[in-house]
Amino acid sequence: MTASTIKLNTTTEDHHIARMAAVALGLTILENAIPSPLPGVKPGLANIVTLIVLSRYGWRVAAWVSLLRVVAGSLLFGNFLTPGFFIGLSGAVCSLALLALSQHLPRRWFGPVTHSILAAFAHITGQMLVVYLWLIPHAGIAYLIPIFATTALLFGTVNGLIAARFMEETSTPSIPQLDKLPDNIPR
Amino acid sequence: MYAAALQHIKPGDWLTLLLGSIFVVVLTLKLWSGDLADKALIRSGGKIFREVPLSRDQQIEVPGPLGISIITIQNRRARISSDPSPRQYCVRQGWLQQAGEIALCLPNQVSVELTGSRKKYDSLNY
């Protein structure tokens, strides 16, 4: 028997998306190590990557990175197709939908902080919708909404600031290429 | 450090922050105001029979002079689902949800009153 290899033709953009999704995935894993007082209250650090990608490469690439992160992350944590996966997916889809609109806001006045806050609110809305319509169809979960909204505003602002700071510091190529590093750096 | 962080916030971002904060405050006031009832006070023959939280769905049987009234608690609402009274006014009143709402079955001397953290009325006269 001969070993068959499947070769996919990938473009430079594919590699770039994969690299960004991997960075987002790393932040997701990091974040899972932080204890949370209430399921759903998380900083959402991976969204920093989404924000940076959105501002540099546009919405399409940002959507790829964000959805790849959700699917690959669920495979890593073993919750693919579980309720938790659908809650996260719904949140990601809702925030991408809102980002598709908010990216057209004038850049002179609105920065990553605005996009981050709006996406955080959309994220929590998408999550609560799935929880209410599918998992807990009970009016009692309304009592948790203020907690989620407050954390969304807080972490949305913080993530937006981190993204803005990061974009300012590295306004030229996002990831240093190994072959372009100066020769005096030991490898 | 704070000054360095603040320079990344554009005028529109301040607007978003302001509107977001107002949104969160309004949401909190609306959802945590205590207007939604959280307990049901069940009386029989003028005495308090039981006080039950609305958070758990259940059925309670309350004895009265005519027979047994059944009170159903479901989805943070309460109603009298069955009563031996001849005209069935309290049963037809349906679901009670807000604090201060009350259903009375006078012939069987059974009543259900919803209470919240804040009382809407000091007293009700019929």
Side-chain angles (χ1 to χ4, degrees):
Chain A
M1 270 192 34
T2 49
S4 66
T5 48
I6 299 169
K7 177 114 174 83
L8 292 173
N9 290 317
T10 49
T11 62
T12 329
E13 195 197 19
D14 293 338
H15 296 167
H16 188 70
I17 289 173
R19 213 182 292 136
M20 286 309 207
V23 174
L25 212 50
L27 287 175
T28 308
I29 293 168
L30 191 78
E31 178 178 281
N32 265 267
I34 304 170
S36 159
L38 184 72
V41 173
K42 288 197 287 185
L45 295 174
N47 298 319
I48 299 169
V49 179
T50 312
L51 286 169
I52 295 170
V53 172
L54 177 77
S55 133
R56 288 217 179 122
Y57 307 102
W59 185 82
R60 206 183 66 87
V61 181
W64 264 114
V65 169
S66 174
L67 294 177
L68 266 178
R69 196 257 308 161
V70 171
V71 174
S74 75
L75 290 175
L76 270 183
F77 289 110
N79 59 4
F80 182 54
L81 297 186
T82 62
F85 166 75
F86 287 106
I87 293 173
L89 182 66
S90 162
V93 168
C94 280
S95 48
L96 283 172
L98 197 66
L99 284 175
L101 299 174
S102 79
Q103 64 167 341
H104 298 297
L105 288 169
R107 286 205 172 199
R108 210 176 110 82
W109 301 103
F110 296 95
V113 176
T114 292
H115 299 305
S116 181
I117 292 172
L118 291 177
F121 277 133
H123 205 281
I124 214 70
T125 309
Q127 287 178 309
M128 290 306 272
L129 274 180
V130 169
V131 170
Y132 182 70
L133 295 177
W134 182 32
L135 301 168
I136 314 172
H138 193 291
I141 61 165
Y143 279 90
L144 295 175
I145 291 177
I147 300 172
F148 288 136
T150 311
T151 48
L153 184 67
L154 182 72
F155 290 132
T157 311
V158 171
N159 288 349
L161 283 173
I162 295 173
R165 177 78 196 272
F166 194 86
M167 278 189 272
E168 180 205 50
E169 275 185 2
T170 56
S171 42
T172 35
S174 51
I175 291 175
Q177 303 288 310
L178 212 56
D179 48 49
K180 285 179 192 158
L181 286 175
D183 286 331
N184 54 4
I185 292 178
R187 290 179 205 157
Chain B
M1 188 212 156
Y2 293 113
L6 287 183
Q7 76 184 34
H8 295 297
I9 304 184
K10 296 179 181 174
D13 295 337
W14 283 115
L15 184 73
T16 313
L17 262 172
L18 181 73
L19 292 179
S21 310
I22 293 172
F23 175 66
V24 168
V25 168
V26 168
L27 210 62
T28 309
L29 288 179
K30 205 152 176 59
L31 293 173
W32 283 0
S33 62
D35 265 349
L36 282 172
D38 44 37
K39 269 184 189 160
L41 201 59
I42 300 167
R43 286 190 181 88
S44 175
K47 292 192 186 74
I48 292 176
F49 176 72
R50 266 174 80 183
E51 194 176 353
V52 291
L54 291 179
S55 50
R56 200 163 65 88
D57 293 351
Q58 57 181 327
Q59 283 205 332
I60 300 154
E61 294 185 357
V62 188
L66 294 185
I68 286 174
S69 303
I70 298 175
I71 290 157
T72 308
I73 292 174
Q74 196 183 56
N75 217 351
R76 296 202 78 83
R77 299 175 303 170
R79 73 164 179 170
I80 296 175
S81 45
S82 159
D83 185 75
S85 305
R87 283 171 296 273
Q88 301 282 305
Y89 287 141
C90 57
V91 177
R92 284 155 67 186
Q93 198 174 342
W95 290 107
L96 311 177
Q97 198 164 17
Q98 297 290 322
E101 282 189 295
I102 186 164
L104 302 165
C105 300
L106 289 182
N108 204 27
Q109 298 179 14
V110 170
S111 76
V112 184
E113 184 187 356
L114 297 195
T115 53
S117 52
R118 198 173 60 185
K119 271 198 117 172
K120 251 185 180 169
Y121 315 104
D122 288 340
S123 68
L124 287 171
N125 283 306
Y126 293 101

